[in-house]
Amino acid sequence: IVTGRTEIPDGSMALGSPARVVRPLRQEEIEGNRASRKEYIALMEAHRNRKERDPARRIYAMYRENGTKHLL
């Protein structure tokens, strides 16, 4: 948990509750975090695109937007 007044410098690892800076990140950890971020974004976009192509989801969204509570 990072409380409101906690300052965590860029490139630092913070752990605990409340969070405290424990050490600087190693370069390979920073690179790993960047790679994970890219993978996560790619998964998010793939999921978003799949949902947009799913006709049942589009129909459900249409009914939801129009305030209709039932499909028939």
Side-chain angles (χ1 to χ4, degrees):
I1 297 174
V2 179
T3 59
R5 295 184 179 172
T6 303
E7 291 188 27
I8 301 172
D10 289 347
S12 297
M13 178 182 290
L15 299 173
S17 181
R20 299 280 183 249
V21 174
V22 293
R23 67 175 175 82
L25 291 170
R26 295 185 301 270
Q27 188 60 36
E28 59 267 16
E29 292 172 319
I30 294 171
E31 292 168 6
N33 288 341
R34 288 181 180 145
S36 293
R37 181 189 68 200
K38 288 178 183 177
E39 291 173 13
Y40 182 82
I41 290 170
L43 287 171
M44 176 199 64
E45 289 172 349
H47 179 71
R48 179 185 295 150
N49 292 336
R50 182 186 61 81
K51 284 173 40 177
E52 290 170 359
R53 288 192 314 264
D54 185 348
R57 286 185 188 271
R58 282 197 314 258
I59 292 169
Y60 178 73
M62 178 185 69
Y63 281 104
R64 209 175 56 226
E65 289 170 9
N66 293 325
T68 305
K69 295 183 180 182
H70 54 82
L71 296 177
L72 298 176

